[in-house]
Amino acid sequence: MFVLVIGPAAAGKTSIAKHLSEYGILINLDAATPCNNADVDIRKWVKVEEIQEKFNLGINGALLKSMELIVSMDEWICADKNEIKIVDTPGQLEIFLYHNYGKKIVEKLERYDVVTSLFIVDAQEILSIENYLAMLAQNAMMNLKLMIPSVTAINKVDLIDKENLLKYIDKKYLEKKLEKGDALHSLAKSLIEYLEYTSILQRPLLVSAKTGEGIEDLYSAIHEVHCSCGDIS
Ligand SMILES: Nc1nc2c(ncn2[C@@H]2O[C@H](COP(=O)(O)OP(=O)(O)OP(=O)(O)O)[C@@H](O)[C@H]2O)c(=O)[nH]1
Ligand SMILES: [Mg+2]
């Protein structure tokens, strides 16, 4: 199985990917950031700083161009079906939410093995109902765009008051808070139901790449998806 690690900038994708690579193979698809520990580093073929110069682009344009090049090549794909392949991606979320590169990568990888996504968010950014629900909405959009199973992990829990965060993860608490409301509240409520229906896991996992907290549970969750996708015995 390929695990596409996706999420906003600096959420901790690379740090989590490094932890998970203990269980499999690490592929770095971030052409802007070298990754020494990666088994396959896209920068062997595509470097953002060279693209900037060659095509006279700014950093964001060059990152998008790098994705265009990446989807057009196969050299970086490691196709060993017996391994879990962790694929680290750049923090420019619009690659997946707005452009079609994410879907193209998924379609490419699906020719070799099943693909799931691991959506990483920074716990510090979701410490209000509004922010938490907006994160769920992004997660839902990602699922819609990529149409693959998804696991969500809330990272950097070492930096927050966990009790505070756990309130938002409780469906009953959220529903109560959204009881009397306008169309936006209804949308938010429907979103919770949608995710409950679609997510393999009903709750996002709380992890810390810094302390290692929750990483084993995260691996188990991924492994569960792996088994339910039917490609291991
Ligand atoms: N305290 C704490 N810091 C973390 C944790 N995970 C990552 N960091 C720090 O957050 C920063 C960003 O981590 P990265 O793993 O590079 O995040 P990323 O999502 O790969 O970043 P981009 O690829 O640039 O989008 C680094 O300084 C990490 O050391 C965590 O669980 N706790
Ligand atoms: Mg990274």
Side-chain angles (χ1 to χ4, degrees), residues 212-228:
E213 179 184 344
I215 297 289
E216 273 184 35
D217 290 343
L218 178 58
Y219 177 71
S220 303
I222 291 167
H223 196 257
E224 207 179 298
V225 177
H226 194 185
C227 295
S228 67

Side-chain angles (χ1 to χ4, degrees), residues 72-127:
S72 71
M73 55 193 275
D74 280 14
E75 287 86 337
W76 57 271
I77 298 178
C78 164
D80 186 346
K81 266 209 150 195
N82 297 316
E83 295 271 11
I84 288 198
K85 293 152 298 267
I86 313 296
V87 185
D88 190 16
T89 69
Q92 204 188 17
L93 206 50
E94 68 176 274
I95 289 169
F96 298 93
L97 286 183
Y98 185 69
H99 298 278
N100 217 23
Y101 298 123
K103 184 69 184 168
K104 284 186 175 156
I105 285 176
V106 168
E107 284 168 356
K108 202 172 187 55
L109 293 177
E110 277 175 336
R111 282 192 246 134
Y112 298 89
D113 205 344
V114 292
V115 188
T116 190
S117 66
L118 171 57
F119 191 55
I120 307 283
V121 288
D122 183 334
Q124 300 168 105
E125 305 295 339
I126 55 171
L127 291 177

